[in-house]
Amino acid sequence: MTFGERIYKERKKKKLSAQQLADACGLSRSYITLIENDHRRPGKKILRIVAESLDIKHSVLINWYLEDLRKKLE
């Protein structure tokens, strides 16, 4: 599962729309969609904000991110 797919899954599990997550993060809905579709890689600051908004430990989100990068490099 890619990083974006995991974000999407967590957002759905929390019953949030992309707009609701975007509002909670202070980002645009289109940016959230780009992350979920693996077209954008958020930076450290955005990762922390998304983790807090989804009520996920920051370290878990970082691990998903790094795992996805490792798979893409193989």
Side-chain angles (χ1 to χ4, degrees):
M1 187 178 307
T2 68
F3 177 75
E5 290 169 338
R6 289 179 184 216
I7 296 296
Y8 175 82
K9 184 178 174 183
E10 283 299 314
R11 177 173 65 78
K12 288 297 187 178
K13 190 183 339 180
K14 306 283 191 221
K15 298 183 179 170
L16 295 172
S17 69
Q19 186 62 57
Q20 289 170 317
L21 178 57
D23 291 344
C25 293
L27 301 168
S28 69
R29 182 202 48 80
S30 60
Y31 190 73
I32 295 297
T33 302
L34 288 171
I35 292 171
E36 291 179 348
N37 291 323
D38 295 308
H39 295 293
R40 287 283 183 259
R41 293 272 179 200
K44 296 188 298 191
K45 184 177 177 181
I46 301 297
L47 284 174
R48 184 172 300 280
I49 292 168
V50 171
E52 289 171 4
S53 297
L54 289 173
D55 196 29
I56 300 172
K57 288 185 178 184
H58 184 245
S59 60
V60 170
L61 206 66
I62 294 289
N63 284 336
W64 291 350
Y65 187 86
L66 293 175
E67 182 181 312
D68 191 35
L69 283 177
R70 279 187 215 107
K71 286 180 183 176
K72 289 185 190 306
L73 292 173
E74 291 177 349

